[in-house]
Structures are given as structure tokens and as C-alpha cells.
Amino acid sequence: MRLTAAASALALGLVLAFSGHVNGQGFVGSSGSCSCNETTTLLDCSSIGLLSLSGNISACQSLEAILLDHNQLSFLPSNYFDELTTLQKLDLSFNQFFFIPGDYFGNQTSLVILDLSHNFIVQGGIAADAFANMISLESLNISGNNPLTVNADLFANLINLLTLTCNGVVTCTNGAGANVTCPNTGAVSDSDLNLLFDCLMMTTTTATPASTAAVTTTTASAVVTTTDAASATTTAAASGTTTAAAPGTTTAAAPATTTTAAANGTTTAFQCPPVDASSCQISDTKRWARDANGCWFCF
């Protein structure tokens, strides 16, 4: 039996509806649709029955907010939003995500608000690098999922984070900090958010020095003493350890700068100076950040 033109169009519409296929620049769901173009700043696709996303959304290059809440999404294409460099808000709440892998938000350096609440995210379902590049993120909501125990390192690169809403426990595994228990309702308190950042700062950070000229290398079986204009002395022992006697020493990049000997020669490693966690409490005017060496500082 041959389908009429109207029946054929209806069948095609049902296929698109349940695939979530991009219809031009937008999406078609089982109960509605949404669309955008190169000048659209807000794409509202809430509650339209989307099962999945596909197609090229990068044509909507001016998007600042995408609302995909109250749908039936369970996965995202890898790096799907990466070309949307102006995107600041992404709402994926009330969907069916069980896992958040590292390639969902790989290049989202501009994102300020991310809502993943009220999904089905399981224990261990958030990849360690899921939020690794979100340096602009200020608000993260992962509440309303299964109770999660996550490591504080998950938030290590969220240097601008002001609001964290979760259910479960954020653990500090470096042995020096305190765990943070998420409240039953609302966001983590400012004091607990400070505890989280305190935990991150207590983790030793090792990185390549910004300038190799600032690191002293010792020779075998030698003791070298260098004195600067302020009479601050640096002593390098045969063990290869460089110790700063006072601030201002010309041969030390920072306190706790060390030189270690390897089998194929001498290598250098930079360790961040100690930070007084009580010197900076997160507020509207003060927050923690990391410098070029990955060391925490307050500004």
C-alpha cells in the first residue's frame, strides 16, 4: 500500500521527533522543537521530549545560554558544545544522565553556570577530568542525583567557583584537610567551600619552573655558598638540596625549591611555597586562583 504525501510527512516527523535530529539550527523533540541562528543568544529547548542531540550547533555561534532541562537525554556527543565560545550557561537538569565523561565539556572555558541536577549520576560516574577546563565556572549543581562521594580534586581547576550544590560527600584525601558534607537542601556554605579549597591547597603541586635561571644546580661532592646583596645565604649540599636561608636569595626561585639528581644527570623540580589558608576567605571580593606554576594564591 502506498503512503499518501501527508502520511509520509507524518512518518518523517515522528522519526525526527524521537531522534533529536537538528532541524536546521535547532532540535525537534517528541513534544516540541527549538531553533537558533547566528544571532541567537538564548536557546530554550526545555521540556520538548528530546532523546539525543546530533547535527551541527556551531552555526549558532552567539549562544550564551542553552536550556535542555526536563528532557530524556542520557548522553551527549563528544565535545558537542566546544565551538560555542560565548556559552555561559548550560542547563541539563532533569534528564537521564548516568555518567559524565571527560569529553562532554572539554573546551568549555567560558561556561559560568552548569546544572547537572536531578539526573541519575552514579557513584564514580563523573570522570576525574569532567570539569578540568572550566576555569570560568562560578556555579555547579550536581544535586538530586544518587548520593555521591567525590574527591576534592574533581574541582581543582574551578578557580572561580562560588556556588557548589551537591548531595553526598566531598572527600579530602591528602590527609591534611577536612571532608565536606553536602547539605540536604541548598548550596554548600561559604565556610565549607573554603574547606574544599583549603584541601586543594594542601595538596603538593609540582610543576616546571617558569624560569630555569632561578634554580641552582649542585655538582657532585661539592658545597656551594652564594651570598646576595642583602647577605641572604643559599647553601647547596652534595645531596642536591637547595635551601634558602632568607627571602631575597638570588639562587632560589621560592621557598622549598629543590634540585634532585637523576641517573642521566641533574633535573630540577619546583614546589609551591606554603600558603596560609586562613588568609583568604571566599567572598564577592576575594577568591583563590593559581599562578603560572600551578600554585595557589589569593586575590
Side-chain angles (χ1 to χ4, degrees):
M1 181 178 67
R2 297 181 62 183
L3 293 174
T4 64
S8 297
L10 176 61
L12 177 60
L14 289 174
V15 171
L16 292 177
F18 287 97
S19 68
H21 181 72
V22 170
N23 184 13
Q25 284 78 43
F27 304 96
V28 177
S30 60
S31 58
S33 63
C34 56
S35 62
C36 58
N37 56 40
E38 66 276 5
T39 63
T40 305
T41 58
L42 170 63
L43 178 60
D44 188 351
C45 301
S46 303
S47 305
I48 62 172
L50 282 175
L51 296 179
S52 63
L53 305 179
S54 62
N56 182 16
I57 198 175
S58 61
C60 303
Q61 57 191 3
S62 299
L63 280 175
E64 296 177 1
I66 300 178
L67 308 182
L68 291 163
D69 56 288
H70 293 86
N71 283 295
Q72 298 158 39
L73 299 171
S74 59
F75 70 94
L76 296 175
S78 297
N79 305 307
Y80 189 68
F81 304 104
D82 274 10
E83 295 184 36
L84 302 179
T85 57
T86 60
L87 188 62
Q88 297 180 36
K89 178 179 180 178
L90 180 59
D91 189 348
L92 292 164
S93 63
F94 293 93
N95 277 282
Q96 298 178 6
F97 292 99
F98 284 82
F99 302 97
I100 306 296
D103 60 357
Y104 275 5
F105 315 113
N107 196 37
Q108 285 304 309
T109 57
S110 64
L111 205 63
V112 176
I113 300 171
L114 176 61
D115 193 342
L116 294 168
S117 65
H118 299 282
N119 279 278
F120 299 97
I121 300 173
V122 297
Q123 179 63 41
I126 303 178
D129 59 346
F131 311 129
N133 294 321
M134 295 186 170
I135 57 175
S136 299
L137 200 69
E138 295 182 5
S139 176
L140 174 63
N141 192 342
I142 54 174
S143 66
N145 290 282
N146 295 291
L148 302 176
T149 299
V150 298
N151 194 295
D153 290 343
L154 183 66
F155 312 109
N157 292 336
L158 305 185
I159 58 177
N160 288 302
L161 189 65
L162 296 176
T163 304
L164 173 63
T165 310
C166 52
N167 60 313
V169 178
V170 180
T171 61
C172 183
T173 57
N174 60 29
N179 295 342
V180 172
T181 301
C182 304
N184 293 328
T185 59
V188 169
S189 66
D190 287 347
S191 59
D192 278 350
L193 198 59
N194 278 309
L195 285 177
L196 188 154
F197 280 96
D198 291 349
C199 170
L200 293 172
M201 285 185 299
M202 291 173 187
T203 303
T204 303
T205 302
T206 302
T208 302
S211 173
T212 56
V215 179
T216 300
T217 304
T218 65
T219 57
S221 302
V223 176
V224 180
T225 302
T226 303
T227 305
D228 66 5
S231 298
T233 303
T234 297
T235 302
S239 63
T241 302
T242 300
T243 305
T249 304
T250 57
T251 55
T257 300
T258 61
T259 303
T260 55
N264 59 348
T266 300
T267 58
T268 59
F270 180 84
Q271 289 186 331
C272 296
V275 177
D276 180 8
S278 64
S279 65
C280 183
Q281 299 296 308
I282 295 175
S283 66
D284 292 338
T285 57
K286 298 185 72 174
R287 63 184 62 181
W288 290 104
R290 283 182 169 177
D291 61 19
N293 288 320
C295 300
W296 291 97
F297 70 96
C298 183
F299 76 100

